[in-house]
């Protein structure tokens, strides 16, 4: 089904993990629902997190029922990190692995759907009342400032525009072919965005 773009954001989750912030406690009965869309806006699957006691999750089309999420932090503020490849999908919560799903171990429907490239993410405004903010997963500059090399994209760029070792950045700018100054500006503003 084609999904309305009203709450849709362009996002290449295969290149950089997505982080979603929630501020719900178990048993709040709130939900996070994020759909994966192709470039043609076709929905290929979704992640549904339900704040029951215990917290439960479902990954469609790979799972028919909700599964209890064991061993999650008791903190109300949670950062969920989602990374998808052609063969697997993983979700962590505050750094703890919640699930690492290998599509081939589930079946052909799961593999056929989730192996497709995701071009957009969509927070379902009718169901999602727990997602507070989202952003690309930041990483820390941990290489030689003089080296001008990005470990994610493999591209070089000029770090003399204000980036320093220890800065927390995202890699968005590296994929757009922008100039070094624009890249630095994007790195510096790795802010969370509202999903709706």
């Amino acid at each position: 089904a084609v999904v309305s773009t009203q709450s849709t954001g362009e996002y290449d989750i295969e290149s950089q993990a997505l982080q979603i912030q929630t501020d719900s406690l178990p048993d709040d009965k709130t939900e996070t629902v994020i759909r994966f869309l192709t470039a043609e806006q076709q929905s290929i699957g979704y992640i549904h997190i339900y704040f029951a006691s215990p917290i439960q999750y479902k990954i469609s089309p790979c799972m028919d029922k909700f599964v209890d999420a064991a061993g999650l932090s008791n903190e109300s503020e949670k950062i969920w990190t989602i990374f998808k490849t052609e063969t697997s999908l993983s979700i962590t919560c505050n750094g703890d692995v919640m699930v690492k799903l290998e599509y081939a171990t589930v079946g052909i429907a799961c593999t056929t759907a989730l192996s497709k490239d995701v071009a957009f993410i969509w927070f379902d405004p009718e169901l999602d009342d727990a997602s507070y903010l989202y952003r690309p997963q930041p990483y820390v500059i941990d290489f030689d400032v003089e080296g001008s090399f990005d470990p994610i994209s493999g591209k070089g760029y000029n770090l003399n525009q204000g980036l320093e070792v220890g800065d927390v950045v995202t890699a968005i700018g590296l994929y757009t072919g922008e100039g070094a100054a624009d890249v630095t500006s994007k790195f510096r503003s790795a802010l969370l965005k509202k999903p709706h």
Side-chain angles (χ1 to χ4, degrees):
V2 176
V3 177
S4 162
T5 58
Q6 183 176 8
S7 299
T8 303
E10 189 172 349
Y11 197 88
D12 182 0
I13 199 166
E14 284 91 359
S15 294
Q16 189 168 14
L18 173 71
Q19 288 190 324
I20 301 168
Q21 181 179 353
T22 60
D23 192 16
S24 294
L25 291 167
D27 225 14
D28 276 356
K29 305 290 190 268
T30 57
E31 302 171 272
T32 289
V33 182
I34 179 172
R35 289 191 179 272
F36 299 131
L37 310 177
T38 64
E40 297 76 35
Q41 301 281 315
Q42 297 291 320
S43 176
I44 61 169
Y46 62 85
I47 295 170
H48 190 161
I49 299 170
Y50 182 57
F51 290 86
S53 185
I55 295 173
Q56 300 176 318
Y57 69 93
K58 178 167 72 169
I59 300 169
S60 176
C62 306
M63 301 165 66
D64 293 329
K65 300 177 184 173
F66 281 94
V67 173
D68 291 348
L72 296 184
S73 157
N74 289 329
E75 301 168 33
S76 64
E77 184 175 294
K78 291 180 171 41
I79 302 291
W80 305 85
T81 303
I82 302 164
F83 187 70
K84 180 191 166 303
T85 70
E86 252 183 44
T87 59
S88 68
L89 179 120
S90 63
I91 305 172
T92 64
C93 176
N94 291 353
D96 297 322
V97 176
M98 184 176 81
V99 63
K100 180 160 174 61
L101 176 71
E102 302 285 342
Y103 312 144
T105 64
V106 178
I108 192 71
C110 179
T111 303
T112 301
L114 290 184
S115 63
K116 295 179 181 175
D117 284 340
V118 172
F120 299 92
I121 55 171
W122 185 63
F123 293 88
D124 190 328
E126 292 183 21
L127 296 175
D128 190 325
D129 55 0
S131 299
Y132 182 60
L133 299 164
Y134 76 96
R135 69 177 176 195
Q137 179 185 22
Y139 64 93
V140 177
I141 294 288
D142 61 358
F143 51 90
D144 184 354
V145 177
E146 299 298 320
S148 303
F149 179 75
D150 171 54
I152 293 179
S153 71
K155 295 180 181 179
Y157 57 92
N158 180 6
L159 281 178
N160 297 325
Q161 301 291 324
L163 282 179
E164 299 172 2
V165 171
D167 282 355
V168 176
V169 300
T170 69
I172 291 179
L174 297 174
Y175 302 108
T176 64
E178 297 169 355
D182 291 335
V183 169
T184 301
S185 160
K186 287 210 175 199
F187 282 158
R188 291 253 185 234
S189 59
L191 301 176
L192 292 164
K193 303 171 196 166
K194 292 207 176 284
H196 303 297

